[in-house]
Amino acid sequence: MGFAKRLKYRLSDLIKLEKPDALSSRYGKAFERAVLALIKAKDSVAALRTFIENYGEPHTGAFSKLIKLMPWAKRVVEIEPAPPVFFQLDGVTITAQADFIVKYSDGKKELVELKSHILKRGEWKIKAEWSLATKIMRMLYRKAGYDYPLRLIYFVEREDGVVTEEEVFIYPKDEKDDETLLNVLRERLKKAITGR
């Protein structure tokens, strides 16, 4: 593969997920903290207060999304930030980090990747990249000893308003499944290193 310009890449950089601007990044971090508060307190008002404390001002869209997450939040009994994971591929370290590890009342655990961006019509490419990144993240966490399903939660703009959508990834399940994703990663890595 030749000498890598960088020996460490974030999964989001390899998949070329759109980087948020400073305001969007602040919003995303505030929203993530608000979801933690929502699950721990089971209270949307406490979650909104947490959001405002971290974002600096109220945001009607954030409040609406937090309300939409309540049905899922009520099923969660434990939540903690997910640890970062590291994976060596062809001499290069790839890092990834989901948002949370959660535990439900039945004892089952899941990793959770939460997207605060609202998908609009025509943004199917963004959704496809999210799905690819989630599958690869599931593989990297499984290889690191966290063999849990990975739940992708996101928001979609419909004619009648914004709705929450969820997908649970149990693929890839084993080394055989990994081969396809490892080939994709190698291809993305090659592009990142050559700058194409």
Side-chain angles (χ1 to χ4, degrees):
M1 184 173 280
F3 180 74
K5 293 178 194 170
R6 287 164 60 189
L7 294 178
K8 196 175 192 179
Y9 285 89
R10 289 186 313 175
L11 178 60
S12 57
D13 292 336
L14 291 178
I15 302 298
K16 302 244 186 255
L17 297 179
E18 194 174 321
K19 286 187 178 176
D21 57 31
L23 188 65
S24 298
S25 181
R26 197 173 94 220
Y27 175 93
K29 285 174 184 166
F31 190 75
E32 196 176 304
R33 289 188 179 110
V35 171
L36 269 169
L38 177 70
I39 290 171
K40 287 182 176 178
K42 301 288 188 276
D43 179 3
S44 55
V45 175
L48 183 60
R49 192 179 311 115
T50 301
F51 177 85
I52 294 168
E53 284 168 5
N54 287 277
Y55 187 62
E57 59 185 283
H59 193 290
T60 52
F63 184 64
S64 172
K65 287 190 273 191
L66 287 166
I67 293 293
K68 291 178 193 307
L69 286 175
M70 267 311 276
W72 167 73
K74 283 179 178 173
R75 294 171 24 228
V76 177
V77 294
E78 286 178 25
I79 184 169
E80 61 183 295
V85 290
F86 305 88
F87 180 70
Q88 282 280 328
L89 182 65
D90 299 335
V92 177
T93 301
I94 297 166
T95 67
Q97 186 167 15
D99 291 314
F100 312 113
I101 293 180
V102 299
K103 184 178 176 184
Y104 298 101
S105 53
D106 62 3
K108 290 181 181 171
K109 288 187 174 183
E110 278 182 348
L111 290 151
V112 175
E113 179 69 359
L114 177 66
K115 300 293 185 185
S116 58
H117 171 78
I118 297 172
L119 280 179
K120 295 176 179 58
R121 243 183 239 157
E123 290 189 324
W124 60 269
K125 281 186 180 176
I126 293 174
K127 170 57 181 54
E129 294 294 89
W130 285 355
S131 294
L132 174 61
T134 305
K135 286 174 190 171
I136 293 172
M137 198 182 292
R138 152 83 181 140
M139 173 184 73
L140 299 184
Y141 270 95
R142 197 193 80 243
K143 286 180 175 294
Y146 300 91
D147 194 1
Y148 309 133
L150 205 160
R151 183 178 297 267
L152 174 65
I153 302 176
Y154 56 99
F155 301 91
V156 179
E157 188 177 71
R158 302 267 186 236
E159 287 179 10
D160 55 343
V162 173
V163 297
T164 308
E165 296 208 356
E166 301 177 23
E167 291 178 49
V168 179
F169 291 81
I170 55 172
Y171 173 90
K173 290 183 179 179
D174 53 35
E175 302 289 326
K176 189 179 175 187
D177 288 344
D178 292 348
E179 276 310 307
T180 304
L181 293 176
L182 287 172
N183 288 336
V184 170
L185 262 184
R186 280 192 179 94
E187 196 57 40
R188 298 291 177 117
L189 201 52
K190 193 196 246 178
K191 286 179 183 174
I193 290 167
T194 58
R196 287 179 192 163

